[in-house]
Each structure stands twice: as C-alpha cells, then as structure tokens.
C-alpha cells in the first residue's frame, strides 16, 4: 500500500478496506479513483476469504466531497470530452456497488456530497455519524443530481427528495436515514472499534450484524418537522409554482428555501424537477443512471455548468450569471432536450 496513491487498499481480517486518499481535496473523485475502486471490487468479489468491503475517506473531514469539479470546468471550457468518459465509468461503478454480491459498508462520516453519495448510498450497509453532512448540491453550480442521486431522492418519503434535489441542502444523520440515503447511525468515536470488530466477521451475515450492534439512535433531525409545508409546496407541477407556494406559505423556513431556489440555476432547477419526476417512473437504478448520463452530457455543453463552477470554485464571487436568468424563460423544449437519446453514445446500463 502506497500512501501517495489516491485509493488505498488493505485487508484486515475478512474485510477489504478501500480508503479514498485525497484529503486536501476532501477526497474528490478522479477518473483514476473510480477505476481503482472498481478494480478493488473485482478483487473482493473473487476472493472467498473476503466477506465484505468497507469504504471510507482519509483525513477525517469526510468520505468524499464529489467529483473533481475544477477538472470538469477546465475540460468543458477547452471543448474536451474527458468528463463524459469519467461519468460513463463513474455511473457504471455506482450500479456495480448497488449489485455487489457481498456487504458493502460505507462509512459516511463528515462531508458526503455528489459523487461521494454515489460511492456510498448505493451500498447495502450505510453508516452515518453526528458529523455527517450528506447532499446532492448540483443545482448551485448549474448541474443536475447524478450518480443515481435522482433514483435515491425520488424514493424518499413525500416530497423530501424533491426538496433536497432542488435546494442541494445538506442533511445530517437522522435526515439522511429518513430520506433513504443511509441506514445506521454510529457515533464517530466508535468507528475504529466498528472496523476492528468487522475484521472478525467470518460471513456476510456477520458483517451486517456487527454494524447493527454498534448502531445507536441518531440525534433528532430537522426534516420531519417540516414535512407538511415541504409536501404541499413541492407537489406543484412547475418550479415557478413551487417557489410561489413557498413564498405564499408565510413560513420563514419556506421563504428562506424560496430564496435559495431563486439563487440556483433556473435551467438546472427545471431539468432536476423533471429528472426526479421521470425517475420515479423508471423502475430501476440502471434506467435512472442511463437518464442521468443523457442529462449530464447535455449539461456539460451548456452555459450554466461552466458559469456555476466559475462563480463557486474558480473566481469565488458567488455571483453566477445564469442563462436564462429566470425560470419562466427556460422553455419546455430546452428541458426536454436534456433527456433526448444519445444514439450510439448511450450509457446502456438498463439494456445489459
């Protein structure tokens, strides 16, 4: 194991440990890391001595803050297509994690956003802590939830998933569990004890049971108390009507949410709303990933992704100039264009 490698692998007892190792970048995913995780899963699936996999992040601040947004920005500005190749392999990895034949334990401690959700929340044993902050924050940078995020959020209770998809808001442990993004709460100071105990798990069933033994009740979340206005406002058919309902509700939290939506990319909001609603009818993660790949490819060639990353990451002026600047000017034809088939460039997971 070379500590300079972006993905570290080691076996402890019966468990293969995968550690994302770019702590200064909050373990943001690169194409090399995606390939490394996939290769590790191939080894683990074939090794009868391995009863489960644990994935975690180095540095103590989080599992993974998402994809390497700066490289995507540079790729888009230069007219290259490396980001499309990255997404193709990343989404395939997301599907593979969901179908992995052995327990896949994701330690979602600290920051878990975007691509970090993709390498964790599709696993079958997902652990959050009091430090967890889980989000799909794409609309704030002119993008749309991907890595199977629309599939996960479409399955959340009521309109909670729509709320999180449009706002990009980060949630803690209890709310991540409520929304189906995680399974168990384990206090962060018990994670090392948990991983030591997992090493003694001689069967897949023992892996799952060991996590349950360390699980506790999560500190109270926030979303359950807001379900009434969230479900009412986000049941609207359009982004414009959702914002109107939030403003008209007279509730400070709803008004604050409306302000957050008004600051996001109008195109991203409309495409995200359509994506979540469509995904709820697709029936499988693979079909959702196929749809997300189409949307990502179209967003990659649009204006708002480059502009959003510029404002948030590059210049950090927090003043993106979206085009169109208002939701009412984003046409239904423009939204529909994001979902059109890619011909021979399709991801094709649902047809395998």
């Amino acid at each position: 194991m070379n500590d300079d490698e972006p993905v570290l692998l080691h076996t402890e007892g019966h468990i293969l440990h995968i550690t994302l190792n770019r702590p200064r970048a909050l373990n943001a995913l690169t194409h090399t890391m995606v390939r490394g995780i996939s290769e590790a899963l191939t080894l683990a699936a074939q090794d009868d001595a391995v009863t489960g996999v644990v994935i975690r992040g180095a540095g103590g601040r989080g599992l993974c803050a998402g994809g390497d947004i700066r490289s995507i920005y540079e790729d888009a500005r230069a007219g290259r297509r490396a980001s499309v190749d990255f997404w193709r392999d990343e989404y395939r990895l997301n599907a593979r994690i969901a179908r992995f034949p052995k327990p896949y334990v994701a330690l979602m401690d600290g920051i878990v956003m975007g691509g970090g959700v993709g390498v964790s929340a599709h696993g079958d044993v997902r652990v959050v802590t009091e430090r967890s902050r889980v989000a799909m924050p794409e609309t704030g940078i002119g993008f749309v939830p991907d890595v199977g995020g629309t599939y996960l959020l479409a399955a959340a209770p009521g309109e909670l998933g729509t709320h999180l998809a449009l706002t990009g808001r980060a949630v803690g442990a209890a709310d991540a569990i409520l929304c189906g993004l995680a399974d168990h709460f384990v206090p962060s100071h018990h994670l090392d004890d948990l991983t030591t105990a997992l090493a003694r798990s001689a069967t897949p069933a023992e892996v799952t049971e060991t996590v349950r033994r360390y699980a506790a009740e999560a500190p109270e979340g926030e979303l359950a108390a807001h379900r009434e206005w969230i479900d009412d406002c986000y049941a609207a058919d359009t982004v414009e009507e959702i914002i109107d309902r939030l403003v008209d509700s007279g509730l400070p939290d709803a008004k604050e949410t409306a302000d957050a939506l008004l600051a996001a990319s109008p195109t991203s909001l409309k495409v995200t709303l359509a994506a979540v609603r469509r995904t709820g009818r697709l029936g499988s993660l693979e079909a959702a990933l196929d749809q997300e790949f189409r949307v990502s490819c179209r967003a990659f060639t649009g204006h708002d992704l480059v502009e959003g990353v510029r404002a948030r990451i590059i210049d950090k002026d927090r003043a993106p100039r979206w085009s169109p600047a208002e939701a009412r000017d984003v046409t239904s034809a423009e939204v529909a264009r994001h979902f059109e088939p890619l011909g021979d460039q399709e991801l094709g997971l649902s047809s395998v």
Side-chain angles (χ1 to χ4, degrees):
M1 184 172 67
N2 183 346
D3 287 346
D4 293 330
E5 293 294 324
V7 175
L8 305 179
L9 305 178
H10 78 277
T11 301
E12 186 176 343
H14 296 282
I15 300 297
L16 175 65
H17 289 263
I18 302 173
T19 302
L20 306 185
N21 189 41
R22 294 183 70 213
R24 285 185 292 181
L26 271 174
N27 302 316
L29 289 176
T30 64
H31 206 157
T32 297
M33 294 169 75
V34 166
R35 293 191 183 111
I37 298 168
S38 184
E39 290 167 5
L41 294 183
T42 297
L43 294 174
Q46 295 171 348
D47 189 342
D48 291 339
V50 172
T51 58
V53 169
V54 171
I55 189 167
R56 68 191 308 174
R61 292 194 295 157
L63 171 64
C64 173
D68 192 336
I69 298 299
R70 185 180 291 269
S71 69
I72 293 172
Y73 168 84
E74 293 170 350
D75 193 35
R77 287 198 68 193
R80 297 188 295 261
R81 301 280 292 175
S83 297
V84 173
D85 295 334
F86 165 71
W87 288 323
R88 189 181 296 276
D89 286 343
E90 183 184 25
Y91 299 175
R92 286 172 174 164
L93 173 62
N94 302 146
R96 185 174 190 184
I97 289 169
R99 308 296 178 231
F100 192 65
K102 299 177 181 181
Y104 181 97
V105 182
L107 302 184
M108 302 169 69
D109 184 34
I111 299 295
V112 185
M113 296 185 178
V117 173
V119 297
S120 59
H122 297 301
D124 47 3
V125 186
R126 306 163 301 175
V127 175
V128 282
T129 75
E130 77 284 353
R131 302 188 300 202
S132 295
R133 301 301 294 166
V134 184
M136 297 297 297
E138 286 78 8
T139 59
I141 58 166
F143 198 46
V144 177
D146 64 338
V147 298
T150 61
Y151 179 79
L152 294 165
L153 295 175
E159 296 292 339
L160 292 180
T162 310
H163 172 62
L164 296 185
L166 293 183
T167 62
R169 189 156 294 170
V171 296
D175 288 333
I177 293 170
L178 172 63
C179 292
L181 302 173
D183 304 299
H184 305 287
F185 170 78
V186 175
S188 60
H189 62 274
H190 284 163
L191 290 181
D192 288 342
D193 293 338
L194 169 61
T195 55
T196 298
L198 283 171
R200 299 190 292 270
S201 301
T203 67
E206 288 180 19
V207 173
T208 304
E209 182 54 37
T210 297
V211 175
R212 289 199 182 104
R213 286 205 316 269
Y214 279 84
E217 184 174 350
E220 186 176 358
E222 300 175 3
L223 288 179
H226 300 299
R227 275 290 302 276
E228 184 174 355
W229 66 260
I230 288 174
D231 286 352
D232 176 64
C233 294
Y234 286 94
D237 292 331
T238 67
V239 168
E240 295 94 321
E241 189 179 354
I242 288 171
I243 293 173
D244 287 344
R245 289 190 185 188
L246 289 168
V247 172
D248 293 343
S249 71
L251 299 170
D253 288 320
K255 176 60 168 60
E256 180 184 331
T257 299
D259 291 339
L261 295 182
L262 289 169
S265 160
T267 300
S268 294
L269 290 176
K270 285 204 165 183
V271 175
T272 295
L273 180 61
V276 172
R277 299 271 165 86
R278 287 171 177 240
T279 300
R281 302 188 293 269
L282 290 177
S284 74
L285 171 62
E286 287 78 5
L289 287 164
D290 283 345
Q291 175 177 273
E292 289 176 354
F293 186 70
R294 296 182 196 113
V295 170
S296 296
C297 288
R298 296 281 162 42
F300 181 69
T301 59
H303 168 275
D304 280 7
L305 175 57
V306 169
E307 174 60 14
V309 177
R310 179 206 64 76
R312 182 69 64 89
I313 306 296
I314 307 301
D315 296 337
K316 299 181 180 179
D317 59 22
R318 303 279 174 158
R321 296 179 289 274
W322 307 123
S323 180
E326 296 190 24
R328 65 172 181 248
D329 295 323
V330 181
T331 66
S332 57
E334 173 60 17
V335 173
R337 185 183 68 83
H338 285 74
F339 298 90
E340 291 174 357
L342 298 170
D344 61 2
Q345 297 302 308
E346 285 283 322
L347 184 61
L349 283 172
S350 59
S351 61
V352 174

